[in-house]
């Protein structure tokens, strides 16, 4: 077998991404839907988050080129667990949106006849988008904060061969310090009990099979899932290819990538707030905003 050193590093990135995506798909289809029952999702999120933290701290051991195999393993573990945390955090949004003071007020007005069905659905849609947009904005602001923390290490320690490791250590500690409080103060919002005779490891696959058998009754649902798959896959693949170009064609350093990240986080924050203002002002539905952003994206990405 040929030595791994004969192959350029960028060839491994698509392989890592593909393998990680397949593992994530297996995880989500097997235990993803199980998180809707009882308190299973709460503890699953905690375990996945701790594993991700451990993987990030383990990068301190990556001090020699000969440890590229360990680097690949840690990348996959970190990528998979981080992606899983995003999914489970996002899964909490519908429950939060249905139980905000604004949502309860709208529901009461609808039940009393003060709002029509169309008005209620539109206002509820806006409330859900409000939570999602505010969360995304805060996420981007936090991203800016972590990048600034990176700069506080990368700039003064520019000539230190372990500066990248120290930056990862510091930013991961930032996540631990701020993230641990979610698990401490999270309010119990248990889902329904697991149906009798079912298992957390099999109920997800049974639900998938049941949904497939109902495809004729849910045509738009499957169109949405297919379109979402194409959108998510295109976004992730584009991100991977950009990373390949940065590392192979331009040899961007950790410091240069941090500057790029700051530019990305700043523009993303501005765009999120701008889209939310437009949607709120003209009371546009989510579908309209998705179409608007989809049409605009290719023009924004033109070189």
């Amino acid at each position: 077998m040929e030595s791994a050193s004969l192959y350029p590093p960028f060839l491994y990135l698509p392989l890592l991404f593909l393998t990680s995506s397949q593992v994530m798909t297996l995880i989500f289809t097997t235990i993803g839907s199980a998180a809707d029952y009882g308190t299973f999702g709460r503890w699953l999120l905690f375990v996945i988050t701790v594993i991700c933290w451990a993987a990030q701290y383990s990068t301190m051991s990556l001090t020699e080129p000969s440890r590229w195999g360990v680097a690949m393993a840690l990348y996959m573990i970190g990528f998979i667990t981080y992606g899983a945390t995003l999914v489970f955090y996002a899964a909490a949004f519908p429950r939060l949106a249905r139980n905000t003071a604004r949502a309860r007020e709208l529901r009461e007005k609808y039940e009393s006849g003060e709002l029509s069905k169309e008005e209620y659905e539109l206002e509820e849609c806006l409330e859900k988008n409000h939570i999602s947009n505010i969360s995304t904005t805060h996420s981007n602001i936090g991203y800016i904060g972590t990048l600034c923390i990176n700069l506080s290490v990368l700039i003064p320690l520019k000539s230190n061969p372990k500066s990248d490791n120290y930056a990862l250590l510091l930013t991961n500690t930032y996540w631990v310090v701020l993230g641990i409080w979610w698990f401490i103060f999270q309010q119990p919002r248990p889902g329904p009990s697991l149906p009798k005779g079912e298992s957390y490891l099999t109920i997800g696959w049974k639900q998938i099979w049941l949904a497939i058998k109902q495809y004729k009754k849910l045509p738009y649902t499957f169109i949405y899932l297919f379109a979402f798959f194409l959108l998510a896959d295109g976004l992730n693949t584009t991100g991977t290819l950009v990373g390949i170009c940065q590392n192979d064609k331009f040899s961007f350093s950790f410091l240069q990538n941090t500057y790029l990240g700051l530019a990305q986080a700043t523009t993303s924050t501005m765009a999120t707030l701008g889209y939310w203002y437009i949607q709120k002002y003209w009371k546009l539905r989510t579908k309209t905003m998705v179409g608007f952003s989809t049409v605009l994206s290719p023009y924004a990405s033109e070189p």
Side-chain angles (χ1 to χ4, degrees):
M1 184 175 178
E2 295 183 5
S3 173
S5 61
L6 296 178
Y7 301 99
F10 69 85
L11 289 180
Y12 293 97
L13 291 178
L15 177 61
L16 285 174
F17 174 74
L18 176 61
T19 305
S20 300
S21 298
Q22 291 175 338
V23 173
M24 290 174 66
T25 300
L26 180 62
I27 291 175
F28 295 148
T29 51
T30 302
I31 60 176
S33 61
D36 295 330
Y37 296 96
T39 58
F40 181 80
R42 178 179 184 177
W43 295 109
L44 180 61
L45 175 60
F46 176 72
V47 171
I48 292 174
T49 303
V50 171
I51 293 175
C52 188
W53 288 343
Q56 297 298 320
Y57 278 130
S58 298
T59 57
M60 286 300 296
S61 65
L62 304 178
T63 56
E64 298 177 1
S66 60
R67 297 179 180 175
W68 66 270
V70 178
M72 291 179 64
L74 291 177
Y75 174 87
M76 289 183 61
I77 294 173
F79 183 85
I80 293 169
T81 52
Y82 177 69
T85 60
L86 293 182
V87 170
F88 285 108
Y89 279 123
F93 287 160
R95 292 185 186 179
L96 293 175
R98 288 194 296 266
N99 291 281
T100 62
R102 173 64 175 167
R104 291 196 297 269
E105 179 186 356
L106 291 171
R107 194 155 49 243
E108 291 173 358
K109 288 184 177 181
Y110 172 66
E111 292 173 351
S112 64
E114 296 182 45
L115 291 176
S116 65
K117 182 179 180 181
E118 291 75 16
E119 291 174 329
Y120 171 70
E121 289 180 348
L122 177 59
E123 292 297 332
E124 185 186 42
C125 170
L126 292 175
E127 180 66 13
K128 292 178 179 179
N129 280 269
H130 172 254
I131 292 177
S132 179
N133 284 316
I134 294 302
S135 173
T136 302
T137 300
H138 288 177
S139 175
N140 286 324
I141 293 173
Y143 186 32
I144 293 174
T146 57
L147 292 171
C148 290
I149 291 175
N150 280 348
L151 292 178
S152 70
V153 175
L154 296 174
I155 294 178
L157 299 179
K158 188 175 182 180
S159 59
N160 191 313
K162 295 184 179 180
S163 60
D164 295 351
N165 302 70
Y166 294 145
L168 288 171
L169 172 67
L170 192 58
T171 52
N172 191 53
T173 302
Y174 169 90
W175 182 14
V176 173
V177 171
L178 296 183
I180 192 65
W181 304 108
W182 167 266
F183 301 103
I184 295 176
F185 294 107
Q186 180 186 9
Q187 297 298 314
R189 297 184 179 91
S193 300
L194 189 69
K196 188 176 181 180
E198 296 292 348
S199 168
Y200 284 116
L201 296 177
T202 59
I203 191 170
W205 291 101
K206 290 183 179 180
Q207 290 180 341
I208 292 174
W209 176 244
L210 179 62
I212 292 175
K213 292 194 297 183
Q214 301 292 323
Y215 76 95
K216 290 184 178 180
K217 299 179 180 179
L218 304 168
Y220 293 108
T221 299
F222 282 87
I223 292 175
Y224 165 78
L225 292 175
F226 179 69
F228 182 84
F229 167 78
L230 293 178
L231 177 63
D233 184 65
L235 175 63
N236 291 329
T237 302
T238 301
T240 301
L241 292 175
V242 169
I244 291 174
C245 291
Q246 289 178 354
N247 288 284
D248 181 59
K249 301 298 182 182
F250 307 106
S251 299
F252 283 175
S253 66
F254 198 160
L255 180 60
Q256 290 171 315
N257 279 322
T258 300
Y259 288 137
L260 288 173
L262 279 170
Q264 175 190 356
T266 302
T267 54
S268 180
T269 302
M270 295 170 59
T272 301
L273 293 175
Y275 281 140
W276 168 237
Y277 176 80
I278 293 173
Q279 183 181 20
K280 183 179 180 181
Y281 185 83
W282 277 287
K283 293 188 178 297
L284 302 174
R285 294 185 176 274
T286 305
K287 183 178 180 180
T288 304
M289 294 304 300
V290 171
F292 176 71
S293 60
T294 301
V295 171
L296 186 62
S297 294
Y299 296 99
S301 60
E302 285 290 332

